[in-house]
């Protein structure tokens, strides 16, 4: 999901199939990843609501602001984020770098 503005995007069960998934440069979007994934990377998104279903490994959130996330993963890492909210189900402690 790249360069979306003001859209609602659904990735339905079976559409990703346990592969890597990327969300990049989205603004004012609602994004629902309802399939299992290997890893998820979310970069440069602003004022989005993002739901990430079961992720086998890591979810990386970088350079995002004013977003809300629901995440189920093994590891969560954030870097250079501002004013984000995360509802998290994770098997390890989250790693938060240079965020406020």
């Amino acid at each position: 999901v790249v360069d979306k503005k003001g859209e609602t995007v659904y990735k339905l069960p079976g559409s990703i199939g346990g592969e890597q998934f990327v969300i990049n440069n989205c603004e004012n979007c609602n994004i629902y990843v309802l399939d299992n994934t290997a890893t998820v990377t979310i970069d440069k998104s602003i004022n989005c609501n993002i739901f990430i279903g079961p992720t086998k490994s890591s979810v990386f959130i970088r350079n995002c602001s004013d977003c809300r996330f629901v995440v189920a993963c093994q590891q969560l890492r954030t870097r250079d984020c501002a004013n984000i909210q995360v509802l998290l189900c994770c098997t390890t402690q989250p790693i938060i770098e240079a965020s406020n």
Side-chain angles (χ1 to χ4, degrees), residues 8-56:
T8 297
V9 178
Y10 293 93
K11 289 298 181 179
L12 298 176
S15 63
I16 301 170
E19 298 295 322
Q20 178 181 359
F21 190 73
V22 175
I23 299 170
N24 188 26
N25 199 35
C26 293
E27 187 173 345
N28 299 316
C29 291
N30 295 306
I31 300 170
Y32 301 91
V33 180
L34 305 174
D35 196 10
N36 66 311
T37 54
T39 64
V40 177
T41 303
I42 305 165
D43 288 317
K44 301 176 188 167
S45 293
I46 300 169
N47 195 36
C48 293
N49 298 307
I50 300 174
F51 177 91
I52 305 294
T55 303
K56 184 176 183 179

